[in-house]
Amino acid sequence: MYVILVYDIGERRVVKMLKLCREYLNWIQNSVFEGEITEVKLKELISRAKKFMKKEEDSLIIFKSREERWLEKEIIGQEKNDLDIFI
Amino acid sequence: MYVILVYDIGERRVVKMLKLCREYLNWIQNSVFEGEITEVKLKELISRAKKFMKKEEDSLIIFKSREERWLEKEIIGQEKNDLDIFI
């Protein structure tokens, strides 16, 4: 399954979330990740994220598509990739 | 067509981008929008955004899907909506 993941999270938890998501998906922009992932691995990611997320403040949205080809991506401006940042 | 739009933009241009996107789409999280839009309206949005975006710093990513039902959305934590904020 192909997913797009976006988070909006308190500053203190950003690095933790970034590191977690990078274990599973490809970073494409600020707080946006995408990639192929299994249902099991996605559940694991979500359960690990929930452990440090603050329910009242933070959010994590996941768009799931059975097929990547059902989505077309258009990028305007800078395209980030994992080489841009070293955490 | 159904789209997900995410932007990563310099602080000085955030409000401009937020206002622009809200003219066309529904705000769902920090810098994330979604909604039904025509190809023509999307081109209009992009061309208006390009006018104030800084190519070297800013980015706008648009995921397009012909059918909304091809995407399943899961939200963990807070769900934002337009009533949360008045700009």
Side-chain angles (χ1 to χ4, degrees):
Chain A
M1 155 176 81
Y2 171 81
V3 304
I4 299 162
L5 179 154
V6 287
Y7 57 75
D8 182 12
I9 196 162
E11 218 179 311
R12 286 181 175 196
R13 297 174 294 284
V14 163
V15 174
K16 222 170 188 171
M17 186 60 107
L18 184 66
K19 279 185 179 173
L20 174 66
C21 293
R22 288 172 80 179
E23 283 185 42
Y24 297 86
L25 297 164
N26 308 311
W27 189 47
I28 52 165
Q29 192 201 67
N30 195 15
S31 52
V32 187
F33 288 77
E34 66 167 357
E36 275 295 327
I37 191 167
T38 63
E39 195 71 54
V40 174
K41 282 286 168 190
L42 182 61
K43 274 189 183 151
E44 189 183 288
L45 193 174
I46 292 169
S47 110
R48 287 176 66 188
K50 276 180 173 168
K51 280 181 192 150
F52 61 83
M53 279 175 73
K54 288 204 172 176
K55 266 190 189 173
E56 318 74 40
E57 294 176 38
D58 302 340
S59 85
L60 184 63
I61 303 178
I62 296 156
F63 298 93
K64 307 172 190 176
S65 173
R66 266 202 301 130
E67 305 263 0
E68 183 174 353
R69 66 188 163 83
W70 287 351
L71 276 179
E72 191 195 326
K73 184 168 63 174
E74 183 172 353
I75 298 174
I76 293 109
Q78 283 306 298
E79 185 167 11
K80 271 209 180 70
N81 67 55
D82 273 342
L83 300 173
D84 286 353
I85 188 171
F86 297 93
I87 288 179
Chain B
M1 153 176 83
Y2 172 79
V3 303
I4 300 162
L5 179 153
V6 287
Y7 58 75
D8 182 12
I9 196 162
E11 219 178 310
R12 288 182 173 196
R13 297 174 294 283
V14 162
V15 174
K16 222 169 188 173
M17 185 62 107
L18 184 66
K19 280 184 177 173
L20 174 65
C21 293
R22 288 173 80 181
E23 283 185 40
Y24 298 84
L25 298 164
N26 307 311
W27 188 47
I28 52 167
Q29 191 202 65
N30 196 14
S31 52
V32 188
F33 288 78
E34 67 168 358
E36 275 295 329
I37 191 168
T38 62
E39 194 72 55
V40 174
K41 282 286 170 192
L42 182 61
K43 274 190 183 150
E44 187 182 288
L45 194 173
I46 293 169
S47 108
R48 286 176 67 189
K50 276 181 175 169
K51 279 182 191 149
F52 61 82
M53 279 175 72
K54 287 206 174 177
K55 267 192 188 171
E56 320 73 39
E57 293 175 40
D58 303 340
S59 86
L60 185 63
I61 303 179
I62 297 155
F63 297 94
K64 307 173 192 176
S65 172
R66 265 200 302 132
E67 305 264 0
E68 183 173 353
R69 65 187 162 85
W70 288 351
L71 276 179
E72 190 194 326
K73 183 168 65 174
E74 183 173 353
I75 298 175
I76 293 110
Q78 284 306 299
E79 185 167 10
K80 270 209 178 75
N81 66 54
D82 274 342
L83 301 174
D84 287 352
I85 188 171
F86 297 93
I87 287 179

